[in-house]
Amino acid sequence: SAVISQKPSRDICQRGTSLTIQCQVDSQVTMMFWYRQQPGQSLTLIATANQGSEATYESGFVIDKFPISRPNLTFSTLTVSNMSPEDSSIYLCSVSAEQGSGYTFGSGTRLTVV
Amino acid sequence: KQEVTQIPAALSVPEGENLVLNCSFTDSAIYNLQWFRQDPGKGLTSLLLIQSSQREQTSGRLNASLDKSSGRSTLYIAASQPGDSATYLCAVRPTSGTYKYIFGTGTRLKVLA
């Protein structure tokens, strides 16, 4: 299965600033996803990162707040913009090689907004 | 709408016990079901993946079963160890349209030495 490198692993940020999270995969993958896990909660899908086109966002998430790039089949970034304390969460990238195969997750980015 | 529930929400057991974690889902139209482990503040580690045509998968001390018709999966952990302490999540991939996984709420396991 794919190996994912996600960074930073954690950060403490001031409100009103932005943070960009990177996800690098060691092989080409069709699907890349970004999830958010709020404290004490399960995972919520933010968006599907599409190579060469705009990301597909889930209900409740918008591009202005969570811009995503995916320049190729091995790399994606998620930016958390104009942060507030409510954005404090673990953000995870995930990949799936093909339909029917399982998901692999990165090690997560633990974000605290103060 | 697919919903995934995990029971119990939390579990504390002495070392050496065999234990069962439960996952139920409301719609049997799934491609697969995957069990994950999550350590505090960390990402998810895949434990077992069961395709919809399979009944069970085994890896070491772990065994996961799938009964699609009844909407249930169980994760069996044999001879539990303190290192097994973590949150265990199940997730299903529906067959309809999207590749999105639907996650359960997780079971927080603590194995006491």
Side-chain angles (χ1 to χ4, degrees):
Chain A
S1 59
V3 176
I4 301 174
S5 173
Q6 184 176 339
K7 54 183 180 181
S9 59
R10 57 172 58 209
D11 208 340
I12 300 173
C13 300
Q14 297 291 323
R15 70 172 67 205
T17 63
S18 298
L19 175 71
T20 295
I21 302 167
Q22 298 181 1
C23 179
Q24 177 74 55
V25 191
D26 69 342
S27 59
Q28 293 186 342
V29 291
T30 306
M31 302 179 200
M32 294 182 77
F33 307 91
W34 288 98
Y35 283 85
R36 180 176 75 181
Q37 186 178 33
Q38 295 177 300
Q41 304 294 315
S42 191
L43 278 73
T44 301
L45 180 64
I46 298 171
T48 302
N50 302 309
Q51 192 265 329
S53 64
E54 203 168 274
T56 304
Y57 290 84
E58 297 297 305
S59 175
F61 297 96
V62 295
I63 188 171
D64 289 347
K65 176 67 175 177
F66 298 101
I68 287 171
S69 77
R70 188 165 179 204
N72 56 53
L73 291 175
T74 64
F75 186 77
S76 178
T77 66
L78 168 74
T79 298
V80 187
S81 303
N82 188 25
M83 290 184 285
S84 67
E86 292 70 34
D87 295 319
S88 297
S89 297
I90 299 173
Y91 292 85
L92 300 118
C93 79
S94 176
V95 302
S96 179
E98 60 187 28
Q99 192 172 29
S101 67
Y103 275 33
T104 302
F105 279 82
S107 54
T109 297
R110 190 168 195 173
L111 171 62
T112 302
V113 183
V114 297
Chain B
K1 178 188 171 185
Q2 177 75 269
E3 293 182 1
V4 182
T5 306
Q6 290 186 246
I7 294 173
L11 183 62
S12 184
V13 299
E15 181 177 6
E17 274 205 6
N18 302 323
L19 53 98
V20 175
L21 308 181
N22 296 294
C23 172
S24 60
F25 47 96
T26 55
D27 188 344
S28 62
I30 62 170
Y31 272 122
N32 55 44
L33 181 146
Q34 195 166 359
W35 282 94
F36 296 90
R37 167 191 172 132
Q38 185 177 31
D39 293 294
K42 303 293 185 182
L44 276 64
T45 300
S46 177
L47 297 174
L48 290 164
L49 171 68
I50 311 177
Q51 301 294 342
S52 61
S53 58
Q54 298 175 325
R55 297 284 292 183
E56 66 177 341
Q57 285 287 325
T58 299
S59 176
R61 295 183 292 109
L62 305 179
N63 175 278
S65 67
L66 174 64
D67 184 344
K68 210 172 63 164
S69 61
S70 67
R72 292 182 186 178
S73 177
T74 61
L75 179 66
Y76 176 84
I77 302 177
S80 58
Q81 304 170 357
D84 295 330
S85 299
T87 296
Y88 291 80
L89 294 157
C90 71
V92 299
R93 176 179 272 184
T95 58
S96 57
T98 176
Y99 296 117
K100 179 171 63 175
Y101 258 24
I102 310 298
F103 280 86
T105 49
T107 294
R108 287 192 317 278
L109 172 66
K110 187 168 186 179
V111 181
L112 305 170

